Amino acid sequence: MEKRTILAIALSLLILITWSMFTSPPHLVENKAVTEKTAPLLGIPEARVPPQDQEVTEEIPPSSLIKLEREKLEITFVEPKAAIQEVVFKAHQNYTLPLKYGFLIEDKSLSFKKQSSSSKEVVFVHSNHAQKITKKFIFSNSAYDMWLEINVQNVSSAPLTFSPQVILGELDFSAGNKQAQFQDVVIATKDKTGHYNGRKSLDLPDIKFLSLREKYFCAIVEPENERSLGFVRKKSGQESEVGLKIPEIIIAPGQSAIEKFHIYLGPQDLHIINKIQPSWSGIIYYGTFDIISQVLLQLLEFFHSMVHSWGWAIVILSLLVYFVLYPLSIKQMRSMKEMQALQPKIEELRKTYKDNPQRLNKEIMALYKEHKVNPFGGCLPLLLQMPIFFALYQALMRSVALKGAAFLWIKDLSEPDRLFLLPNSLPILGNEVNILPIVMAIGMFVQQKLSSASASGAAADQQKMMLFIMPIMFGVIFYHMPSGLVLYWFINSALMLIFQVRLSRVK
């Protein structure tokens, strides 16, 4: 098989493998000062894990739910637990961030009652013969941050030991959760901010802040007590809980102790987070090509500020990348044209040395050397495009700015373009009719047709096979990708096709 064909297949496999890597659950970003949990965290009992085929669920009566409306949020509290069940972001198509029992004090003996509620704070109280615990959620002037104040008062005649475990929220990695692949945990210590796989139990001492995040939104908690321990604890089935443990304190009779926490419930938007607490910016992470993703997003934001359209901003970015790589593209096209010119001589060599593959390869390489043709020279622009492609994929998949952004017939650039839906699903394609990847595949077919050299025999069959396989393969890969990403690749491919048509007319 011709080496160019092998290389084309290898590049296709590279795309498929990398695609699988990026759509798999997040992996641990290693922090050398941290080790995976091998023993129970001091003071935190190990969760008992039931058999894998059993689900442990706890129904929440609707009567125990309290909804609080704010300008950009709707927060649902679970009254008996004084915890946040979920947050609905009204400014982002009512997107819901589930926490289940966010900011829960993990103690089954506690049962809270709402004491008061206003636009400034919500107060819950639990009391018994030994203690009175007041949980106060205090809202700030910002739309997305607040403070949690836990006041523990000793009403007994004996010293009271207080060492709360505060659960930030739970992660659901079940197959039915579409956000499972985007979930991870962010824990910042004095040394480093790390992104960790929420499927594995771990614990970290002396944390600065703790966060769980999914595709677009996140929850962050920063304890005022700098000696707090952060942990991820795998629970039953496909669930993990994320939280922190406050160091033990002893409260004398008639005395009280207060623990404070700064909370963020909002989009993963660097501008918003920096205004509230710049040290939290480390939660913004786009994977392997994070730096490139950050640069591309800044460019997109700059272009958007000029044209006020995320779609046109992506088009401008495509033009920019194309012209940056233009010198290499010229080299690629000329290399392909030179390969076409050599094709008759290569066919003669194939006939002459059809029974001697080793000699055939040697003669072909000598022919390339004689005419100063690099058979792999045309692959460099594609290889340079790959990091940009995957970086943009990560940026568009997690950029809340593109959530709901429309362009032409596209209703949401963070989703497939979905011109219309079919009544029945088709294999692989589903019931969506996505125009952009189809047009892109057709353009790729035309481009390959123009660049194909005349061949005969087995080489012609291989060439004909790849002429159809490559566009179909790329069309399938791109079919369910965000339309913003497909738009970028389509514009770039269209520009390459136009250039190639012009070059093919040059004798």
Side-chain angles (χ1 to χ4, degrees):
M1 185 180 291
E2 189 176 347
K3 289 188 177 182
R4 290 180 64 206
T5 304
I6 297 174
L7 185 60
I9 295 174
L11 288 172
S12 302
L13 291 175
L14 174 64
I15 291 175
L16 288 172
I17 293 170
T18 312
W19 164 259
S20 301
M21 177 185 70
F22 276 108
T23 53
S24 62
H27 295 282
L28 176 66
V29 178
E30 195 67 47
N31 183 341
K32 295 182 179 180
V34 178
T35 57
E36 186 179 324
K37 187 173 182 179
T38 57
L41 177 65
L42 183 62
I44 300 181
E46 284 293 303
R48 290 180 296 175
V49 180
Q52 292 297 318
D53 58 347
Q54 295 183 14
E55 290 289 335
V56 178
T57 59
E58 184 177 348
E59 295 294 332
I60 302 174
S63 59
S64 69
L65 300 179
I66 300 172
K67 293 186 183 293
L68 179 72
E69 294 281 347
R70 289 183 53 76
E71 181 183 357
K72 295 185 178 181
L73 307 176
E74 181 185 88
I75 305 174
T76 302
F77 292 90
V78 182
E79 184 179 20
K81 298 181 180 294
I84 296 177
Q85 182 193 51
E86 66 181 25
V87 183
V88 177
F89 298 94
K90 296 187 289 185
H92 295 88
Q93 302 177 312
N94 290 327
Y95 193 96
T96 301
L97 175 66
L99 296 176
K100 193 172 183 180
Y101 294 124
F103 311 101
L104 165 76
I105 298 178
E106 194 171 49
D107 186 339
K108 292 184 178 180
S109 68
L110 302 182
S111 181
F112 288 86
K113 292 287 185 181
K114 186 186 76 171
Q115 184 182 73
S116 63
S117 176
S118 69
S119 60
K120 294 184 178 180
E121 63 182 28
V122 179
V123 182
F124 298 91
V125 175
H126 162 82
S127 62
N128 57 26
H129 67 282
Q131 61 185 355
K132 178 181 179 181
I133 301 178
T134 303
K135 287 184 71 173
K136 187 182 295 186
F137 292 88
I138 306 168
F139 304 114
S140 71
N141 294 327
S142 166
Y144 299 111
D145 77 314
M146 66 183 77
W147 289 85
L148 170 60
E149 184 178 286
I150 301 176
N151 187 327
V152 182
Q153 187 176 2
N154 185 353
V155 297
S156 70
S157 58
L160 175 68
T161 300
F162 182 60
S163 180
Q165 298 173 52
V166 179
I167 305 300
L168 173 58
E170 295 195 1
L171 299 173
D172 176 15
F173 293 104
S174 61
N177 182 16
K178 294 181 180 180
Q179 294 295 323
Q181 71 184 67
F182 300 104
Q183 295 177 136
D184 68 356
V185 179
V186 185
I187 304 179
T189 63
K190 295 178 181 179
D191 302 322
K192 185 177 181 180
T193 298
H195 291 250
Y196 302 91
N197 188 341
R199 297 173 184 265
K200 298 179 180 180
S201 296
L202 60 94
D203 47 84
L204 298 168
D206 302 327
I207 69 165
K208 294 179 65 179
F209 68 85
L210 175 74
S211 173
L212 62 83
R213 65 175 193 147
E214 38 95 280
K215 192 172 184 179
Y216 300 115
F217 296 89
C218 63
I220 305 173
V221 60
E222 180 176 338
E224 202 171 70
N225 192 320
E226 296 181 352
R227 295 186 296 115
S228 301
L229 304 174
F231 63 86
V232 178
R233 186 161 57 208
K234 185 172 174 60
K235 298 181 66 180
S236 59
Q238 298 294 319
E239 293 183 336
S240 296
E241 62 182 10
V242 182
L244 50 88
K245 179 177 173 61
I246 307 301
E248 183 179 284
I249 56 175
I250 298 176
I251 307 171
Q255 300 297 311
S256 62
I258 298 177
E259 295 290 344
K260 294 183 179 180
F261 309 85
H262 196 183
I263 294 170
Y264 176 83
L265 299 171
Q268 295 182 57
D269 187 311
L270 195 59
H271 300 294
I272 295 174
I273 292 174
N274 276 333
K275 288 179 181 179
I276 297 172
Q277 181 59 275
S279 63
W280 294 345
S281 62
I283 73 157
I284 306 295
Y285 179 69
Y286 295 103
T288 306
F289 302 105
D290 179 65
I291 295 177
I292 302 176
S293 296
Q294 298 273 10
V295 172
L296 291 175
L297 271 181
Q298 289 180 17
L299 285 171
L300 277 175
E301 289 172 359
F302 173 71
F303 295 144
H304 178 264
S305 67
M306 295 191 301
V307 298
H308 306 291
S309 166
W310 288 108
W312 287 115
I314 292 172
V315 171
I316 295 172
L317 179 66
S318 302
L319 292 170
L320 176 65
V321 173
Y322 174 78
F323 285 115
V324 167
L325 297 179
Y326 185 75
L328 293 174
S329 298
I330 293 177
K331 186 176 181 180
Q332 176 192 22
M333 295 299 183
R334 286 175 177 170
S335 176
M336 293 171 66
K337 202 167 181 63
E338 289 169 351
M339 291 288 291
Q340 288 180 341
L342 290 178
Q343 197 61 34
K345 294 183 178 180
I346 293 175
E347 287 299 312
E348 291 180 7
L349 290 174
R350 285 199 175 104
K351 292 177 183 179
T352 304
Y353 302 105
K354 61 181 179 180
D355 297 324
N356 191 344
Q358 290 80 12
R359 179 68 185 275
L360 173 62
N361 289 333
K362 185 177 179 180
E363 291 296 330
I364 290 176
M365 294 308 296
L367 183 66
Y368 288 153
K369 187 175 181 180
E370 178 185 350
H371 292 270
K372 298 180 180 180
V373 174
N374 182 1
F376 306 112
C379 301
L380 184 57
L382 182 59
L383 291 175
L384 290 177
Q385 282 270 37
M386 287 299 103
I388 297 173
F389 169 77
F390 289 114
L392 188 62
Y393 166 73
Q394 285 292 317
L396 295 183
M397 286 296 285
R398 285 192 177 273
S399 175
V400 71
L402 270 68
K403 179 63 179 172
F407 180 66
L408 301 178
W409 75 92
I410 304 168
K411 296 178 181 179
D412 189 340
L413 285 167
S414 68
E415 300 287 341
D417 62 269
R418 296 191 184 106
L419 182 63
F420 59 88
L421 300 178
L422 299 172
N424 299 309
S425 294
L426 299 174
I428 301 176
L429 302 183
N431 67 337
E432 303 171 353
V433 176
N434 302 324
I435 295 298
L436 272 179
I438 295 174
V439 176
M440 186 198 71
I442 294 172
M444 187 175 182
F445 173 83
V446 174
Q447 186 178 353
Q448 285 201 162
K449 187 75 174 175
L450 289 173
S451 62
S452 298
S454 59
S456 60
D461 293 336
Q462 294 171 4
Q463 185 171 284
K464 186 176 181 180
M465 179 180 66
M466 295 307 297
L467 183 64
F468 289 96
I469 287 179
M470 292 295 286
I472 292 173
M473 183 182 296
F474 273 80
V476 170
I477 291 173
F478 277 84
Y479 200 77
H480 294 291
M481 284 191 179
S483 53
L485 182 70
V486 185
L487 176 63
Y488 163 81
W489 198 262
F490 168 73
I491 295 296
N492 193 275
S493 299
L495 291 169
M496 291 289 290
L497 178 59
I498 293 170
F499 178 78
Q500 191 164 339
V501 170
R502 292 184 60 187
L503 187 66
S504 64
R505 293 175 179 175
V506 179
K507 299 299 181 180

Coordinates of all heavy atoms in Angstrom, one line a residue, residues 127-166:
S127 N -31.8 22.6 66.9 CA -31.5 22.7 68.3 C -31.9 21.5 69.0 O -32.9 20.8 68.6 CB -32.2 24.0 68.9 OG -33.6 23.9 68.8
N128 N -31.2 21.1 70.0 CA -31.5 20.0 70.9 C -31.0 20.4 72.3 O -30.6 21.5 72.6 CB -31.0 18.7 70.4 CG -29.5 18.7 70.2 OD1 -28.7 19.4 70.9 ND2 -29.0 17.8 69.3
H129 N -31.0 19.4 73.2 CA -30.6 19.6 74.6 C -29.1 20.0 74.7 O -28.7 20.6 75.8 CB -30.9 18.4 75.4 CG -30.0 17.2 75.1 ND1 -30.2 16.4 74.0 CD2 -28.9 16.8 75.7 CE1 -29.3 15.5 73.9 NE2 -28.4 15.7 74.9
A130 N -28.3 19.7 73.7 CA -26.9 20.0 73.8 C -26.3 21.1 73.0 O -25.4 21.8 73.4 CB -26.1 18.7 73.4
Q131 N -27.0 21.4 71.9 CA -26.4 22.4 71.0 C -27.5 23.1 70.1 O -28.6 22.5 69.9 CB -25.4 21.7 70.0 CG -26.0 20.6 69.1 CD -25.0 19.9 68.3 OE1 -23.8 20.2 68.2 NE2 -25.5 18.9 67.5
K132 N -27.1 24.2 69.7 CA -28.0 25.0 68.7 C -27.1 25.3 67.5 O -26.1 26.0 67.7 CB -28.5 26.2 69.4 CG -29.4 27.1 68.4 CD -29.9 28.3 69.1 CE -30.8 29.1 68.1 NZ -31.3 30.4 68.7
I133 N -27.5 24.8 66.4 CA -26.7 25.1 65.1 C -27.5 26.0 64.2 O -28.6 25.7 63.9 CB -26.3 23.8 64.4 CG1 -25.5 22.9 65.3 CG2 -25.5 24.1 63.1 CD1 -25.1 21.5 64.7
T134 N -26.9 27.1 63.8 CA -27.5 28.0 62.9 C -26.7 28.1 61.6 O -25.5 28.3 61.6 CB -27.6 29.4 63.5 OG1 -28.3 29.4 64.8 CG2 -28.3 30.4 62.6
K135 N -27.4 27.8 60.5 CA -26.8 27.9 59.2 C -27.3 29.1 58.5 O -28.6 29.1 58.2 CB -27.0 26.6 58.4 CG -26.2 25.4 58.8 CD -26.4 24.2 57.9 CE -25.8 24.4 56.6 NZ -25.8 23.2 55.7
K136 N -26.5 30.0 58.1 CA -26.9 31.2 57.5 C -26.3 31.4 56.1 O -25.0 31.5 56.0 CB -26.6 32.4 58.4 CG -27.2 33.7 58.0 CD -26.7 34.9 58.9 CE -27.3 34.7 60.3 NZ -26.9 35.9 61.1
F137 N -27.1 31.4 55.1 CA -26.6 31.7 53.7 C -26.8 33.2 53.5 O -27.9 33.7 53.4 CB -27.4 30.9 52.7 CG -27.1 29.4 52.8 CD1 -27.9 28.6 53.6 CD2 -26.1 28.8 52.0 CE1 -27.7 27.2 53.7 CE2 -25.9 27.4 52.1 CZ -26.7 26.6 52.9
I138 N -25.7 33.9 53.3 CA -25.7 35.3 53.2 C -25.3 35.7 51.8 O -24.2 35.4 51.3 CB -24.7 36.0 54.2 CG1 -25.0 35.5 55.6 CG2 -24.8 37.5 54.1 CD1 -23.9 35.9 56.6
F139 N -26.2 36.4 51.1 CA -26.0 36.7 49.7 C -25.2 38.0 49.5 O -25.5 39.0 50.3 CB -27.4 36.8 48.9 CG -28.2 35.6 49.1 CD1 -29.4 35.6 49.7 CD2 -27.8 34.4 48.5 CE1 -30.2 34.5 49.9 CE2 -28.6 33.2 48.6 CZ -29.8 33.3 49.3
S140 N -24.3 38.0 48.6 CA -23.5 39.2 48.3 C -24.2 40.0 47.2 O -25.2 39.7 46.7 CB -22.1 38.8 47.9 OG -22.1 38.3 46.6
N141 N -23.5 41.1 46.9 CA -24.0 42.0 45.8 C -23.8 41.4 44.4 O -24.5 41.7 43.5 CB -23.4 43.4 45.9 CG -23.7 44.1 47.1 OD1 -24.9 44.0 47.6 ND2 -22.8 44.9 47.6
S142 N -22.9 40.4 44.4 CA -22.7 39.7 43.1 C -23.8 38.7 42.9 O -24.4 38.2 43.8 CB -21.3 39.0 43.2 OG -21.2 38.1 42.1
A143 N -24.0 38.4 41.6 CA -25.1 37.4 41.3 C -24.8 36.0 41.7 O -25.7 35.2 41.9 CB -25.4 37.5 39.8
Y144 N -23.5 35.7 41.8 CA -23.2 34.2 41.8 C -22.4 33.8 43.1 O -22.2 32.6 43.3 CB -22.3 33.8 40.6 CG -23.0 34.0 39.3 CD1 -22.6 35.0 38.4 CD2 -24.1 33.3 39.0 CE1 -23.3 35.2 37.2 CE2 -24.8 33.4 37.8 CZ -24.4 34.4 36.9 OH -25.0 34.6 35.7
D145 N -22.1 34.7 44.0 CA -21.4 34.3 45.2 C -22.2 34.6 46.4 O -23.1 35.5 46.4 CB -20.0 34.8 45.3 CG -19.9 36.3 45.7 OD1 -20.7 37.1 45.2 OD2 -19.1 36.6 46.6
M146 N -21.9 33.9 47.5 CA -22.5 34.1 48.8 C -21.6 33.6 49.9 O -20.5 33.0 49.6 CB -23.8 33.3 48.9 CG -23.7 31.8 48.8 SD -25.3 30.9 48.7 CE -25.7 31.2 47.0
W147 N -22.0 33.8 51.1 CA -21.3 33.3 52.3 C -22.1 32.3 53.1 O -23.3 32.5 53.2 CB -20.8 34.4 53.2 CG -19.7 35.3 52.6 CD1 -19.9 36.3 51.7 CD2 -18.3 35.1 52.8 NE1 -18.7 36.8 51.4 CE2 -17.7 36.1 52.0 CE3 -17.6 34.3 53.5 CZ2 -16.3 36.3 52.0 CZ3 -16.2 34.4 53.5 CH2 -15.6 35.4 52.7
L148 N -21.5 31.3 53.6 CA -22.2 30.4 54.5 C -21.5 30.5 55.9 O -20.3 30.4 56.0 CB -22.0 28.9 54.0 CG -22.5 27.8 55.0 CD1 -24.0 28.0 55.4 CD2 -22.2 26.4 54.5
E149 N -22.4 30.8 56.9 CA -21.9 30.9 58.2 C -22.6 29.9 59.1 O -23.8 29.8 59.2 CB -22.3 32.3 58.7 CG -21.8 32.7 60.1 CD -22.1 34.1 60.6 OE1 -21.5 35.0 60.0 OE2 -23.0 34.2 61.4
I150 N -21.8 29.0 59.7 CA -22.2 28.0 60.6 C -21.9 28.4 62.0 O -20.7 28.4 62.4 CB -21.7 26.6 60.3 CG1 -22.0 26.2 58.8 CG2 -22.2 25.5 61.2 CD1 -21.4 24.9 58.3
N151 N -22.9 28.6 62.8 CA -22.7 29.0 64.2 C -23.2 27.9 65.1 O -24.4 27.5 65.1 CB -23.5 30.3 64.5 CG -23.2 30.9 65.9 OD1 -23.0 30.1 66.8 ND2 -23.3 32.2 66.0
V152 N -22.3 27.4 65.9 CA -22.6 26.3 66.9 C -22.5 26.8 68.3 O -21.4 27.2 68.7 CB -21.6 25.1 66.7 CG1 -22.0 23.9 67.6 CG2 -21.6 24.6 65.2
Q153 N -23.6 26.7 69.0 CA -23.7 27.2 70.4 C -23.9 26.0 71.3 O -24.7 25.1 71.1 CB -24.9 28.1 70.5 CG -24.9 28.9 71.8 CD -26.0 29.9 71.9 OE1 -26.8 30.0 70.9 NE2 -26.2 30.6 73.0
N154 N -23.0 25.9 72.3 CA -23.1 24.9 73.3 C -24.1 25.3 74.4 O -23.9 26.2 75.2 CB -21.8 24.6 74.0 CG -21.7 23.4 74.9 OD1 -22.8 22.9 75.2 ND2 -20.6 23.1 75.4
V155 N -25.3 24.6 74.5 CA -26.3 25.0 75.5 C -26.4 24.0 76.6 O -27.3 24.0 77.4 CB -27.7 25.0 74.8 CG1 -27.7 26.1 73.7 CG2 -28.1 23.7 74.1
S156 N -25.3 23.1 76.6 CA -25.3 22.1 77.7 C -24.3 22.5 78.8 O -23.7 23.6 78.7 CB -24.8 20.7 77.1 OG -23.4 20.8 76.8
S157 N -24.2 21.7 79.8 CA -23.3 22.0 80.9 C -21.9 21.3 80.8 O -21.1 21.4 81.7 CB -23.9 21.6 82.2 OG -24.2 20.2 82.2
A158 N -21.7 20.6 79.6 CA -20.5 19.9 79.4 C -19.8 20.4 78.1 O -20.5 21.0 77.2 CB -20.7 18.4 79.3
P159 N -18.5 20.3 78.0 CA -17.8 20.7 76.8 C -18.4 20.0 75.5 O -18.8 18.8 75.6 CB -16.3 20.3 77.0 CG -16.2 20.3 78.5 CD -17.5 19.8 79.0
L160 N -18.4 20.7 74.4 CA -19.0 20.1 73.2 C -17.9 20.0 72.1 O -17.2 21.0 71.8 CB -20.1 21.0 72.7 CG -20.8 20.6 71.3 CD1 -21.5 19.3 71.4 CD2 -21.7 21.7 70.9
T161 N -17.7 18.9 71.5 CA -16.8 18.7 70.4 C -17.5 18.9 69.1 O -18.5 18.3 68.8 CB -16.2 17.3 70.5 OG1 -15.5 17.1 71.7 CG2 -15.2 17.1 69.4
F162 N -16.9 19.7 68.3 CA -17.5 20.1 67.0 C -16.4 19.9 65.9 O -15.4 20.5 65.9 CB -18.0 21.5 67.0 CG -18.7 22.0 65.7 CD1 -19.8 21.3 65.3 CD2 -18.2 23.0 65.0 CE1 -20.4 21.7 64.1 CE2 -18.8 23.5 63.8 CZ -19.9 22.8 63.4
S163 N -16.7 19.0 64.9 CA -15.8 18.8 63.8 C -16.6 18.4 62.6 O -16.8 17.3 62.2 CB -14.8 17.6 64.2 OG -14.0 17.3 63.1
P164 N -17.2 19.4 62.0 CA -18.2 19.2 60.9 C -17.5 18.7 59.6 O -16.4 19.2 59.2 CB -18.9 20.5 60.7 CG -17.8 21.5 61.1 CD -17.0 20.9 62.2
Q165 N -18.3 17.9 58.9 CA -17.9 17.6 57.5 C -19.0 18.3 56.6 O -20.2 18.0 56.7 CB -17.9 16.1 57.3 CG -16.9 15.3 58.1 CD -17.1 13.8 58.0 OE1 -17.1 13.3 56.9 NE2 -17.2 13.1 59.1
V166 N -18.5 19.2 55.8 CA -19.4 19.9 54.9 C -19.4 19.4 53.5 O -18.3 19.4 52.9 CB -19.1 21.4 54.9 CG1 -20.1 22.2 54.0 CG2 -19.2 22.0 56.4

